[in-house]
Amino acid sequence: MTRQLYDHQHAAIELLRTSLRNGHTRPMLMAPTGFGKTLTAAQIIRNALNRGKKVAFTVPSISLIDQTVEEFGAEGITEIGVMQADHPLTDASKPVQVCSVQSLVKRQFPWVDLVLNDEAHEMHKVIFRWMAERQSIPFIGLSATPWSKGLGRYYDDLLIAATTKDLIERGYLSKFRVFAPSHPDLKGVHTVGGDYHEGELAAAMDKPQLVADVVSTWMRLGENRPTFCFAVNRAHARSLEAEFQHAGITTGYIDAYTEREDRNRIGQAFNAGRVKVVVNVGVLTRGIDWDVRCLILARPTKSEKLFVQIVGRALRTAEGKEDALILDHSDTTLKLGFVTDIHHEHLDTGKPEEGSSARPAKKQKLPTECPAAGCSYVKPAGVHKCAACGFEPVYRKAVETVDGELHQVGGKTRTYTQAEKQRFWSGLLWYVEQKGKSEGWAAHSYKDRFGVWPRGLSARPVEPDIQCRHWVKSRAIAFAKGMEKREHANAA
């Protein structure tokens, strides 16, 4: 029994009809996570079959072949042949051909009247060769993130029936909250092909204090939710897996070499609650509909496409799910913005836009981290009151300053929680371990801040939060100014 289309899916099909009627032969349909791409594609195929047409549907990896066949079968499309090695469903006479791009490289292209190219942003050369050889038939690109550089050289019309923001506002996707609990030092990590150099990035992220912070933060903020954790490479992922296991948290591991049976077994345990966290290396960004309610981003990226694909794994709705929790240990949200802010109205042609003298579009303001100690909630630009802790900075008018001495007057003293003190102390110990500071410096710095010595606290270093960094920086500035003042006094 086929499912009914939602209004945005009807709109997508109507946009496609209009585009093809207007002479476009290479339309690109943007279908964000949660759009219902498979259902929409099934309806497009059904419409073509009703007119006596043959259709090819391409997938970017062999692992998606059987999944696609099963999903189409559930929508009543069963006359399917498969182009992938010696697959048991190989049958060139069937009106629908599900093809892996890997097999297309080695075989003749099927003779069809329409091609649907899934995950079109991956820009496989064999698809472009097919386009060049069969210019008379339409190729429809499908992608949640059709923003690849040069994609507009091959597709001629971007169709946007809905955005991630639209789907969240209408309840088709989950709301989300973001926390930025740690800030990795990526100095010295180069950029290759538009993103961080993987080896250098792994070396920067696979450090004991950062790995430990991922786990301790999840235990503090993760609410015991079913969680995906994205790592940089296999070694980094294994470090994270080991740290979670050491903390007594049942953890699964998946990478590109994980057998399908093992992946299915982990998925079943995850959905049953027997596995709380699944650490992976970039393989759970597509074709996955598990009930993910928390996502750990331990893999910094400059790629909007990768960022949106990753966060999208946590945005599917589920029974009893009020929102998704994003624990961003990569600073990616602070650098790229929320996934709902990332949007492009045009395909990239790889060339300067015509009318370059036109005024450039205003750049989206980036979100900010709550400055309250121990919070780390990420707020939208322009929002002053933190929705997580309620902190709201008080802005004062500029005042005139004069030299003089400060004396304490009456008033309430800020009371700090044990967790806030521990986080500050752990941050100071990070400076001892990473920056060569002495333990005496750390102890005296703690006493300067809180008025007592750091007794009864854990001696585990953790990368400092923004409050600790600002405090240490302010002390260094004050010390430098004091030295400068004394030098001037001695010179006089």
Side-chain angles (χ1 to χ4, degrees), residues 10 13 32 50 64 153 174-175 186 205 253 255 287 293 313 341 354 375 418-419 444:
H10 279 296
I13 292 174
N50 290 339
L64 294 176
R153 294 200 297 265
S174 172
K175 298 177 181 178
L186 301 183
M205 297 300 295
Y253 171 94
D255 64 27
R293 305 198 178 197
R313 297 309 95 199
D341 297 334
E354 293 183 7
C375 180
Q418 189 73 0
H444 281 88

Side-chain angles (χ1 to χ4, degrees), residues 203-254:
M205 297 300 295
D206 194 7
K207 294 181 177 178
Q209 71 273 11
L210 291 180
V211 172
D213 195 40
V214 167
V215 176
S216 62
T217 297
W218 186 86
M219 295 177 71
R220 179 167 57 92
L221 296 176
E223 302 173 5
N224 205 32
R225 297 182 178 210
T227 301
F228 276 3
C229 176
F230 285 84
V232 179
N233 63 6
R234 298 171 74 191
H236 183 218
R238 287 298 188 188
S239 296
L240 288 162
E241 178 196 23
E243 189 72 15
F244 272 112
Q245 296 279 23
H246 181 71
I249 301 160
T250 52
T251 308
Y253 171 94
I254 295 178

Side-chain angles (χ1 to χ4, degrees), residues 72-241:
F72 284 163
E75 297 302 325
I77 301 172
T78 56
E79 291 296 300
I80 297 176
V82 169
M83 286 186 63
Q84 186 258 308
D86 56 351
H87 196 283
L89 292 182
T90 298
D91 187 345
S93 69
K94 296 295 185 181
V96 179
Q97 295 291 315
V98 176
C99 316
S100 75
V101 292
Q102 293 82 4
S103 295
L104 287 171
V105 172
K106 306 172 185 177
R107 302 188 186 185
Q108 289 187 340
F109 301 128
W111 288 97
V112 294
D113 305 292
L114 172 68
V115 177
L116 299 179
N117 179 28
D118 197 17
E119 305 294 348
H121 60 274
E122 295 191 10
M123 298 182 66
H124 293 281
K125 291 182 180 179
V126 67
I127 300 296
F128 301 147
R129 181 161 59 85
W130 192 0
M131 287 180 169
E133 290 187 14
R134 309 280 171 84
Q135 296 185 26
S136 61
I137 66 173
F139 281 74
I140 297 173
L142 303 172
S143 174
T145 55
W147 312 320
S148 299
K149 188 174 180 62
L151 194 61
R153 294 200 297 265
Y154 303 98
Y155 293 91
D156 56 12
D157 195 17
L158 178 60
L159 309 176
I160 305 173
T163 64
T164 297
K165 185 176 182 180
D166 295 332
L167 295 178
I168 290 175
E169 290 177 348
R170 293 157 64 186
Y172 294 112
L173 287 180
S174 172
K175 298 177 181 178
F176 62 91
R177 290 175 288 143
V178 180
F179 290 84
S182 57
H183 306 281
D185 183 1
L186 301 183
K187 293 176 182 177
V189 179
H190 295 86
T191 301
V192 178
D195 207 350
Y196 295 109
H197 183 282
E198 185 176 292
E200 295 174 352
L201 183 63
M205 297 300 295
D206 194 7
K207 294 181 177 178
Q209 71 273 11
L210 291 180
V211 172
D213 195 40
V214 167
V215 176
S216 62
T217 297
W218 186 86
M219 295 177 71
R220 179 167 57 92
L221 296 176
E223 302 173 5
N224 205 32
R225 297 182 178 210
T227 301
F228 276 3
C229 176
F230 285 84
V232 179
N233 63 6
R234 298 171 74 191
H236 183 218
R238 287 298 188 188
S239 296
L240 288 162
E241 178 196 23

